[in-house]
């Protein structure tokens, strides 16, 4: 059974810092991995989707990497802004099933 | 492209009452999912539909939860009777196909509070 872990559970940084969020999964036979952002009380907004054959994806200040063999993914946020404050969730897809981590709650202080 | 629509946005009910949530997926998306997200946790799959058929409902508490997608488009999730532990955000998602190759798109969710 796939287990997805996100570390740290919470992170607080000053504005302008570069930061890395981590996601690990136990079953490396994944089809793809997706990073989401969730604002309080809201639904999930897709940030980046990495197929199993890919190593990374970039969108603006966000860069996500995938290392299937080690069961890890990282989400890199450059030059963080207060508007980046949210919970970031990673989800892995395999065997017709998507499993989520519990998320990292990010606070960017002005 | 219109996103995944969900209603209502919020619902407060007393325990033992019933409640229903509605979801309209992105047009053309064959696969629809209902997730339950308890505060501080990641979403947990309740049920997955492929068109109007159920693909996976192994984690759906069938004694109180039911869901349908009769015409293969919109879907309804019902809880009857509700318990305090059902307080959560209920998220609907859709994808182009069951393979998930294009990722999932989520709606804004329905926040349910059972008192």
């Amino acid at each position: 059974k796939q287990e997805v872990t996100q570390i740290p559970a919470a992170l607080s940084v000053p504005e302008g810092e570069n930061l890395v969020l981590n996601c690990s999964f136990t079953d490396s036979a994944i089809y793809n991995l997706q990073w989401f952002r969730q604002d309080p009380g809201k639904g999930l907004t897709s940030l980046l989707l990495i197929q199993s054959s890919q190593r990374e994806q970039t969108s603006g200040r966000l860069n996500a990497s995938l290392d299937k063999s080690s069961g890890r993914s990282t989400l890199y946020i450059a030059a963080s802004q207060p508007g980046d404050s949210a919970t970031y969730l990673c989800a892995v897809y395999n065997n017709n099933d998507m499993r989520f981590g519990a998320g990292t709650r990010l606070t960017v202080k002005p | 492209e219109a996103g995944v629509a969900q209603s209502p946005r919020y619902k407060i009910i007393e325990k033992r009452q019933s409640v229903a949530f509605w979801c309209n997926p992105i047009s053309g998306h064959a696969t629809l999912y209902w997730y339950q997200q308890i505060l501080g946790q990641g979403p947990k799959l309740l049920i997955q539909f492929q068109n109007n058929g159920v693909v996976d409902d192994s984690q759906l508490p069938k004694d109180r939860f039911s869901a349908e997608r009769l015409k293969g488009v919109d879907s309804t999730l019902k809880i009857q009777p509700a318990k305090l532990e059902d307080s959560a955000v209920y998220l609907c998602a859709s994808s182009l196909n069951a393979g998930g190759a294009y990722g999932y798109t989520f709606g804004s969710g329905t926040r349910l509070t059972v008192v």
Side-chain angles (χ1 to χ4, degrees), chain A residues 47-50 54-65 75-76:
Chain A
L47 297 174
L48 291 163
L49 171 68
I50 310 176
Q54 298 174 321
R55 298 282 292 182
E56 66 177 340
Q57 283 286 338
T58 298
S59 176
R61 295 181 294 108
L62 305 180
N63 176 276
S65 67
L75 179 66
Y76 175 82

Side-chain angles (χ1 to χ4, degrees), chain A residues 32 34 38 41 43 51 93 96 101, chain B residues 37 55 98-101 104 108 111:
Chain A
N32 60 40
Q34 197 165 0
Q38 186 174 33
Q51 302 293 345
Y93 185 89
N96 204 37
Chain B
Q37 186 180 23
V55 175
Y104 291 20
S108 298
R111 178 177 292 279

